[in-house]
Amino acid sequence: MTKRKKKNLLTLIFLVVMLGLMSGFYVWYLNKNKDRGETASEDDSLILATMDPDLIERIHFKNDEADMILILEDDTWVTEADKERPIKQNYVDNMISIIDEVKAERIVDEKPEDLAQYGLVSPYASLKATQSDGKSVTLLLGDEVSGGQGYYAKLDGNDTVFIVPTLYGTYLSYSDVSMTQVDNGPSLTSNDIYHIEVLKKDGEDFELIYDEDSKYHKAGTPLLSWAVLKPFEEPYSADSSKVSEVISNFTRFYFLSCVDYKGEDLAKYGLEDPTASILVEYYEQHEEELDEPQKDPDTGEEITTKTVTEEKSFKLYIGNLNDKGDYYVRKDGEAAVYTMEAEDVDAMLQVDAFSILSTFISIYNIETVDRIDIDISGKPYTMEIKREVTTDSEGNEETKASYYYNGKEVEEDTFKDVYQVMIGAKFDTQLKEEVSLKELDPILTISYHLEDSDKTYTSKYYPYDESFYIADNGGPIIFKADKRRIDQIIKTIEEFKKAE
């Protein structure tokens, strides 16, 4: 035999051996589950029971955390034991969706000798559905298949064990508590909210309000349209960008569960005497039909509806923490007790009011100011704006402003440059230690006189250390201000020239 023929023969023998091994492996793979009595099914999805979902009128649902009978009354599912209890209808619909057509991914054992190996001696969950014509189907759910590939299951009255998808386990894992309908609080946008108040039994309160008309703050500028009322003794302007971050925590009131829809024992949840309350006032818009159609003056199109804005409010009471670390809460005017994630509640309760204050000490709209009296280490300075209303040939009124420094008229641009530096005074931190200002002389005093007002707003700056001045604007809070910034204001006023 030639070497070539011998080599071809060896190759052929090798291929035959490999084919035999592969065939043997395939047979073994198909029968590897027979040790547990499992058989392969030609159909990937076997329908083992069917019901008419329109005829189902009674459901008995049971697992380790629930045992309830649900009945259909006036197209609404209620519990037989407590018909007033609000039930999550979508959860019942989910149960019906797996019992109206019980689908097995594959048959495991048609005549099992030991149901315990599948967790079906004491099933993990059971679901019995009964139709109005008397037909019923009971599904028993056992252990989860290794690898999370579904659950072992069987029908009551039928020995066959089969595997159902993981979804069956999800829909049969609802607890008694989770079956109760949850009515969440409002879902808002930051622009909806105009007032927030947090009251605490222990600790500092917090109150924030949108001050569109400058009722609470001293500066008539849209940059400072929010005011912090609590915990301070008087209102302080708030930084709008920082306010936006805080408000975002008050836009979503999502409840985890309803633990007691009747709320018969509020003390049990710490809600008879709540630890805190949260009030949010907001605007809500909706469309209303007009009594008579109107025409859009710009487009000429017919308008049949109008947008109506209403003022709404939502108040939430905060109770104790439960074993999972969530808060018990109750909506004002309702009895039901819910749970809410601690992270969401704490974000509303633990607002650092001082951190959102506007750091500007004396920022006033120049259009509202008519005179500024300044004292720098005992030397007086005056800045003044004189306004004259005139009428042109067409009868239109206009206001002409003239600007003065120490009684001498100056250029408008120079005046405004100096003014811009002055109102840039900011504080850095709150001075919390006791400091007596009676024995100190201010380095700088600035008094703003507002037009058409008898009010004067004064800020004073006292020596503190090498880095800071004490800033006092007459309120209960004493601040520390960067010495370099205040020294620059002093220099700018003394030199009175265009700011670089």
Coordinates of all heavy atoms in Angstrom, one line a residue, residues 15 51 92 131 134 194 251 323 378 447 479:
L15 N -12.4 10.3 10.5 CA -13.6 11.0 10.3 C -14.8 10.2 10.7 O -15.8 10.7 11.3 CB -13.8 11.4 8.8 CG -12.8 12.5 8.3 CD1 -13.0 12.6 6.7 CD2 -13.1 13.8 9.0
M51 N -59.2 29.5 29.3 CA -60.4 30.0 29.9 C -60.9 31.2 29.1 O -60.1 31.8 28.3 CB -60.2 30.5 31.4 CG -59.7 29.4 32.3 SD -59.8 29.9 34.0 CE -61.6 29.8 34.3
V92 N -54.7 42.5 38.7 CA -55.6 41.4 38.4 C -55.6 41.0 36.9 O -55.7 39.9 36.6 CB -57.1 41.8 38.9 CG1 -58.0 40.6 38.7 CG2 -57.1 42.3 40.3
Q131 N -65.1 30.7 36.2 CA -65.9 31.4 35.3 C -67.4 31.4 35.8 O -67.7 30.6 36.7 CB -65.9 30.8 33.9 CG -64.5 30.8 33.2 CD -64.5 30.2 31.9 OE1 -63.5 30.4 31.1 NE2 -65.6 29.5 31.4
G134 N -69.2 28.1 35.8 CA -68.7 27.1 36.7 C -67.4 26.5 36.4 O -66.7 25.9 37.2
Y194 N -44.9 77.6 42.9 CA -44.6 79.0 43.3 C -44.5 79.2 44.9 O -44.1 80.2 45.3 CB -45.7 80.0 42.8 CG -47.1 79.8 43.4 CD1 -47.5 80.4 44.5 CD2 -48.0 79.0 42.7 CE1 -48.8 80.2 45.1 CE2 -49.3 78.8 43.2 CZ -49.7 79.4 44.4 OH -51.0 79.3 44.9
T251 N -41.1 68.0 42.9 CA -42.0 67.9 41.7 C -42.6 66.5 41.6 O -43.6 66.3 40.9 CB -41.2 68.1 40.5 OG1 -40.1 67.2 40.4 CG2 -40.6 69.6 40.4
D323 N -39.6 49.3 58.7 CA -38.5 48.4 58.8 C -37.5 48.4 57.6 O -36.3 48.1 57.7 CB -39.0 46.9 59.0 CG -39.7 46.7 60.3 OD1 -39.4 47.6 61.2 OD2 -40.5 45.8 60.4
G378 N -15.5 107.7 57.8 CA -15.9 109.0 58.3 C -16.0 110.1 57.2 O -16.4 111.2 57.4
S447 N -26.0 103.7 52.0 CA -27.4 103.8 52.2 C -28.1 104.1 50.8 O -27.8 105.1 50.2 CB -27.7 104.9 53.2 OG -27.2 104.6 54.5
F479 N -23.1 88.6 58.1 CA -22.3 87.9 57.2 C -20.8 88.3 57.2 O -20.5 89.3 57.8 CB -22.8 88.2 55.7 CG -24.3 87.9 55.5 CD1 -25.2 88.9 55.5 CD2 -24.7 86.6 55.3 CE1 -26.5 88.7 55.3 CE2 -26.1 86.3 55.1 CZ -27.0 87.4 55.1

